Amino acid sequence: AQSVAQPEDQVNVAEGNPLTVKCTYSVSGNPYLFWYVQYPNRGLQFLLKYITGDNLVKGSYGFEAEFNKSQTSFHLKKPSALVSDSALYFCAVRPVFSGGYNKLIFGAGTRLAVHP
Amino acid sequence: GAVVSQHPSWVICKSGTSVKIECRSLDFQATTMFWYRQFPKQSLMLMATSNEGSKATYEQGVEKDKFLINHASLTLSTLTVTSAHPEDSSFYICSAIKAGSSYNEQFFGPGTRLTVL
């Protein structure tokens, strides 16, 4: 079965330190990969995506993600965390063949807490 | 561009009543819209895929008679929760695919919190 794993329920980091939020996937073919952020009682905001090309993708708010095909991972990173980055982060994968409806498969989410 | 709105942002209703939630693409045409529900501290669960002018495709385990979806135009899809019960209380999020977009990425609405008393 196709799946997305975010192994950490929560990540704690001090402000100014680098952060990593992990994501691995089990999907056949070469899927499209996405990261979204969700603030309390809000919908999802798009951060970045990987379609093809350079393995390091840069996105909104200083975030970036590194695609590793051999490890089937797409970890989200930021060199210097801000308190305002505290939110819920979702990794999502769109299989190349998703029944023709472009469905996304979401990970369970990782709560990022940045402490002053 | 690519803004998706939902109305209402929150709603409280009595058990047994029906509630309609609207999802609109404000500055683009959306041939496909998706409806998700999200329980507290959980991920998004896809409920159904809505294509303009055709019947929605529901995910396994989602009751189509309970969650009525109508996608009557290229900018509007509605989700009606019929005979709502407390267990239907959840956060409902829609998303839309912009017609003609390169990678068919989904743009998400802000969500609607439904509380059934």
Side-chain angles (χ1 to χ4, degrees):
Chain A
Q2 301 181 114
S3 63
V4 177
Q6 293 181 241
E8 302 151 318
D9 290 338
Q10 179 156 330
V11 169
N12 297 296
V13 64
E15 187 174 31
N17 284 0
L19 68 88
T20 299
V21 182
K22 296 179 181 177
C23 172
T24 59
Y25 61 91
S26 176
V27 173
S28 58
N30 298 312
Y32 298 168
L33 306 166
F34 302 85
W35 274 101
Y36 293 91
V37 60
Q38 184 181 34
Y39 294 96
N41 296 309
R42 303 288 297 275
L44 273 66
Q45 295 180 33
F46 169 79
L47 279 179
L48 49 79
K49 66 177 182 281
Y50 174 83
I51 305 297
T52 187
D54 193 352
N55 290 343
L56 185 64
V57 178
K58 293 187 182 298
S60 306
Y61 312 118
F63 283 93
E64 57 189 28
E66 187 167 12
F67 169 62
N68 187 316
K69 186 173 183 177
S70 62
Q71 297 183 5
T72 61
S73 67
F74 190 55
H75 301 331
L76 180 70
K77 300 181 180 182
K78 187 173 182 181
S80 179
L82 300 173
V83 173
S84 57
D85 292 329
S86 299
L88 188 57
Y89 290 80
F90 289 102
C91 178
V93 172
R94 178 159 83 79
V96 174
F97 303 108
S98 56
Y101 290 116
N102 305 297
K103 295 179 184 180
L104 288 175
I105 303 171
F106 282 89
T110 298
R111 187 164 300 280
L112 173 66
V114 182
H115 305 284
Chain B
V3 179
V4 177
S5 70
Q6 285 184 237
H7 178 79
S9 55
W10 59 271
V11 58
I12 302 173
C13 69
K14 293 182 179 180
S15 184
T17 61
S18 294
V19 174
K20 180 185 285 188
I21 302 170
E22 293 184 347
C23 176
R24 292 182 186 272
S25 55
L26 297 184
D27 52 0
F28 66 97
Q29 293 185 329
T31 52
T32 302
M33 289 183 171
F34 299 88
W35 286 97
Y36 298 84
R37 65 184 301 181
Q38 183 183 28
F39 291 105
K41 299 183 179 180
Q42 293 189 27
S43 188
L44 279 71
M45 183 192 80
L46 179 64
M47 299 174 65
T49 303
S50 169
N51 289 290
E52 187 266 338
S54 64
K55 291 183 179 180
T57 302
Y58 290 82
E59 295 300 299
Q60 190 173 7
V62 178
E63 300 175 58
K64 61 180 180 180
D65 295 330
K66 172 77 171 175
F67 299 99
L68 300 179
I69 292 172
N70 184 282
H71 193 158
S73 78
L74 285 172
T75 59
L76 173 64
S77 176
T78 61
L79 168 68
T80 301
V81 183
T82 61
S83 187
H85 288 94
E87 57 265 29
D88 298 323
S89 298
S90 188
F91 195 53
Y92 292 88
I93 301 175
C94 73
S95 70
I97 291 180
K98 186 176 182 180
S101 61
S102 300
Y103 303 111
N104 291 331
E105 60 186 281
Q106 295 183 30
F107 298 96
F108 287 82
T112 296
R113 181 159 303 283
L114 169 63
T115 302
V116 185
L117 302 176

